[in-house]
Amino acid sequence: MTDKTFTNDIAISSRIRLARNIENTLFPQMASEADLTKVENAVTEALRSEKLAGEKYRFYEIRNMTETQRTSLAESRLISSELGKYDHSGAIINDSNSVSVMINEEDHIRIQSVKPGFDLFAAYRVADRIDDIIGESVNYAFSEKYGYLTSCPTNLGTGMRAGVMVHIPAIVMKNSLAGIISVAQSSGLEIRGAYGEGTAAMGDLFQISNRVSLGKSEIEIVQSIHEFTKEIIKTERAARNELLLLQEDDIKNEVQRAYGILTNAHMISTEEAMKLLSLLRLGTDVRLIENVSPKVVDKLMTEIQPATLTLRYRIRTDARSRDLLRAQHIKTALGDL
Amino acid sequence: MTCQICNTNPATIVVKKIINGEQTEMRLCEKCAKSQLAEVTSMFNFADLFGAFTPLNHNLNAMSKDHGEKNLICPTCNTDMEQLKKTGKVGCMKCYEVFGEYMEPYIKGIHTKTVHTGKVPKIAVAENENGENSSLREISRIKRQLEEAVREENYELAAEYRDLIHALSAKEESEID
């Protein structure tokens, strides 16, 4: 068993984001329409398909998209919910959804690379390559002292935000999160709910990321998150073992009830579904549930989000009809196995 | 019950924290309780730091007062001090030269350091008078980290460094070509 398969039950995905701006062009906040158009053209030109070694990319122009299409991309974490605030904003996204380049967000360019599981170094190699490709035809705003110059000083230096999404239900159940959050803070890192904030984080999914981007190299930042995530994985595994040892019947009961509701409910809200899917994910990880693949559960966590669900079924967008459809969708996904 | 932080030693101490009226309770071993105490002290610094995030910081406010309340304006993008304080964002790359002196404590508050040590874009490398090559510098730095990882028998990490060195070396060669 390799280290990666051994950790992918807890680390769901690894993500790198690089913020870049074009030299001598006003940042989106102050830019004129002509500036924003120039940025849009420069980036789409820099990423013309022949430069991307056969990978297929699509350009999503925000002005040509509905609110639902936009929110759905944000729910899948391919764009930020802020994209679209400025004119001529958009995103260039590859077919496998592993690379996304946002144009005219808070900065001119935001490069994002995602890898499934615990693979931050691989995600960095991809983002670094895309950065080089764009950098061949665009001169970046850069200073010797502050590094890559960004609209917000919180992103100065490397312009990098690196993050690992972890599923840590046992740590949450044991109320150990507060301690971990303060340890993260003292190491220049932070942990936030991946869907919703604080302890109300849906689905026990959390994002571990760096707070500091200046004065450390990209590799040092990636390494510190890598090491910290390893500790979180160890802690979560220990917490799971302890729960199974001391409260096996209670955990089995919770997991099987979650499975029961998910496969039988007629209507279900996003919040309830996320809570139950988290329990089901735990159940598949510790082999209490054998007939459901963890990948199906992970996919469901995105698919049941309101805009993504609406888009898939093209329904009226009231909460009640979504709850009905969500229950049907989950039943089908779990029943098809 | 075992300690909620290390999950190894038995919990002998109950640590109660009240932050912004919210009480949390943790059962810890003696060692982790001590480190928690140290963290609480450092969290006060954090509170200062977080204060600095909205709406930009009092340091900046104080600094502009020291300089006779003059409202600096960036000649390139017309962002002024008031706007910078309100939004916390600069309008263009030149703003960092115009407001740099005033922003330095704020930047230090966020990052603790104020000098970039990471990647350098190619064009900037060409302009660097020392002619130092950034990817060669980066390769030798990663090599040191690779040796460190091997020494610590962290082979997984070592393999990651090896891949990075290969990727960077390939890039280097293609540049020479």
Side-chain angles (χ1 to χ4, degrees):
Chain A
M1 191 187 279
T2 71
D3 198 55
K4 272 167 191 153
T5 58
F6 187 63
T7 54
N8 283 3
D9 53 341
I10 294 167
I12 308 285
S13 62
S14 305
R15 186 178 307 266
I16 297 284
R17 185 221 68 197
L18 301 174
R20 300 287 186 257
N21 285 286
I22 299 176
E23 196 177 56
N24 300 326
T25 306
L26 303 193
F27 295 167
Q29 190 188 199
M30 298 303 277
S32 65
E33 166 137 31
D35 290 329
L36 295 169
T37 311
K38 206 177 86 186
V39 172
E40 184 187 18
N41 292 339
V43 181
T44 47
E45 173 63 29
L47 287 177
R48 284 224 320 266
S49 53
E50 64 264 29
K51 296 179 186 165
L52 293 162
E55 285 173 85
K56 265 187 94 181
Y57 280 72
R58 224 182 111 179
F59 180 36
Y60 295 80
E61 279 170 286
I62 293 294
R63 60 171 174 266
N64 294 333
M65 291 168 74
T66 65
E67 180 68 33
T68 311
Q69 288 171 322
R70 215 156 85 181
T71 312
S72 173
L73 282 185
E75 285 170 354
S76 308
R77 293 160 189 285
L78 291 166
I79 63 169
S80 71
S81 47
E82 284 92 53
L83 188 68
K85 205 168 143 191
Y86 306 110
D87 288 342
H88 298 279
S89 58
I92 298 171
I93 301 172
N94 70 349
D95 268 2
S96 56
N97 289 348
S98 62
V99 172
S100 136
V101 178
M102 281 192 279
I103 302 168
N104 288 327
E105 206 243 23
E106 183 183 296
D107 294 297
H108 292 146
I109 304 165
R110 290 265 174 118
I111 301 164
Q112 180 183 260
S113 149
V114 194
K115 290 276 172 189
F118 188 28
D119 215 353
L120 211 46
F121 285 92
Y124 176 67
R125 284 195 294 273
V126 173
D128 184 46
R129 187 172 64 84
I130 301 289
D131 182 41
D132 286 345
I133 293 173
I134 300 175
E136 270 167 27
S137 48
V138 161
N139 281 350
Y140 286 135
F142 182 85
S143 91
E144 282 280 313
K145 179 169 163 59
Y146 290 138
Y148 291 93
L149 300 173
T150 51
S151 170
C152 186
T154 50
N155 295 316
L156 280 175
T158 57
M160 186 171 86
R161 203 65 63 200
V164 180
M165 198 203 283
V166 289
H167 179 235
I168 47 174
I171 288 176
V172 174
M173 277 184 220
K174 284 187 66 201
N175 288 322
S176 312
L177 197 61
I180 287 169
I181 288 174
S182 57
V183 173
Q185 284 181 342
S186 54
S187 342
L189 306 178
E190 61 184 15
I191 305 185
R192 281 175 299 138
Y195 292 94
E197 281 298 308
T199 42
M202 278 197 278
D204 304 316
L205 290 170
F206 292 83
Q207 187 85 25
I208 302 166
S209 60
N210 58 308
R211 213 165 36 76
V212 168
S213 57
L214 173 67
K216 284 184 178 179
S217 76
E218 288 79 0
I219 302 303
E220 283 170 332
I221 294 170
V222 165
Q223 191 194 346
S224 69
I225 297 171
H226 183 91
E227 293 300 314
F228 187 77
T229 306
K230 257 166 67 180
E231 289 305 309
I232 296 281
I233 291 171
K234 252 194 254 169
T235 311
E236 170 67 16
R237 206 172 300 288
R240 288 181 182 188
N241 289 340
E242 191 191 310
L243 282 173
L244 282 175
L245 202 68
L246 301 178
Q247 306 174 44
E248 190 183 356
D249 288 330
D250 298 295
I251 299 294
K252 269 188 179 162
N253 184 38
E254 294 266 331
V255 167
Q256 280 159 12
R257 278 167 173 273
Y259 184 64
I261 295 171
L262 287 167
T263 49
N264 286 284
H266 185 60
M267 288 170 70
I268 196 163
S269 68
T270 311
E271 203 179 340
E272 188 187 4
M274 287 296 280
K275 191 176 150 223
L276 299 176
L277 284 170
S278 171
L279 282 165
L280 187 60
R281 181 64 151 83
L282 176 65
T284 62
D285 292 343
V286 299
R287 307 269 186 276
L288 288 176
I289 299 273
E290 299 276 6
N291 60 335
V292 176
S293 139
K295 276 197 184 127
V296 169
V297 182
D298 291 350
K299 256 176 66 187
L300 274 174
M301 284 187 173
T302 306
E303 287 170 1
I304 60 155
Q305 298 298 321
T308 307
L309 195 72
T310 304
L311 206 61
R312 174 185 286 249
Y313 291 99
R314 299 165 205 278
I315 41 147
R316 281 182 301 131
T317 54
D318 62 293
R320 198 181 154 83
S321 44
R322 273 201 305 269
D323 286 355
L324 272 164
L325 211 58
R326 183 174 294 113
Q328 292 307 313
H329 181 75
I330 294 171
K331 269 193 269 193
T332 313
L334 294 179
D336 275 351
L337 297 157
Chain B
M1 179 167 190
T2 56
C3 169
Q4 286 180 312
I5 289 184
C6 64
N7 281 314
T8 358
N9 304 327
T12 52
I13 296 170
V14 179
V15 176
K16 286 184 186 177
K17 275 194 213 170
I18 302 169
I19 300 166
N20 295 333
E22 244 188 56
Q23 183 172 328
T24 53
E25 202 177 289
M26 296 203 313
R27 282 156 221 283
L28 307 175
C29 68
E30 200 176 327
K31 203 176 140 215
C32 292
K34 271 186 189 156
S35 68
Q36 277 290 299
L37 207 64
E39 262 161 38
V40 169
T41 327
S42 72
M43 267 170 79
F44 280 109
N45 298 333
F46 265 131
D48 288 344
L49 214 156
F50 279 130
F53 276 75
T54 49
L56 210 57
N57 81 25
H58 50 83
N59 276 336
L60 244 169
N61 277 313
M63 287 285 248
S64 61
K65 277 198 188 92
D66 289 349
H67 288 74
E69 290 283 351
K70 66 170 175 184
N71 191 11
L72 271 182
I73 295 178
C74 171
T76 309
C77 70
N78 289 328
T79 295
D80 63 13
M81 188 66 111
E82 286 306 312
Q83 202 178 348
L84 175 60
K85 275 192 256 177
K86 212 173 91 197
T87 62
K89 287 175 193 165
V90 302
C92 72
M93 61 186 288
K94 297 288 177 207
C95 283
Y96 284 106
E97 290 166 24
V98 178
F99 304 107
E101 184 188 339
Y102 308 101
M103 290 177 80
E104 184 91 1
Y106 173 57
I107 291 169
K108 198 175 161 91
I110 300 164
H111 300 284
T112 55
K113 291 184 183 152
T114 57
V115 179
H116 178 58
T117 55
K119 186 176 177 178
V120 175
K122 275 181 201 150
I123 188 80
V125 174
E127 283 167 1
N128 185 340
E129 284 172 17
N130 302 330
E132 257 188 291
N133 186 311
S134 76
S135 48
L136 283 181
R137 209 164 52 195
E138 182 73 357
I139 289 170
S140 69
R141 219 171 41 72
I142 299 173
K143 272 186 183 158
R144 285 198 298 277
Q145 284 175 314
L146 168 65
E147 284 160 14
E148 182 86 1
V150 171
R151 212 168 25 246
E152 286 173 2
E153 296 180 12
N154 191 342
Y155 298 114
E156 178 216 358
L157 197 61
E160 299 284 5
Y161 286 141
R162 186 202 53 210
D163 292 351
L164 270 171
I165 291 168
H166 282 169
L168 283 169
S169 308
K171 228 160 79 178
E172 186 59 28
E173 276 161 27
S174 69
E175 272 161 33
I176 292 164
D177 295 343

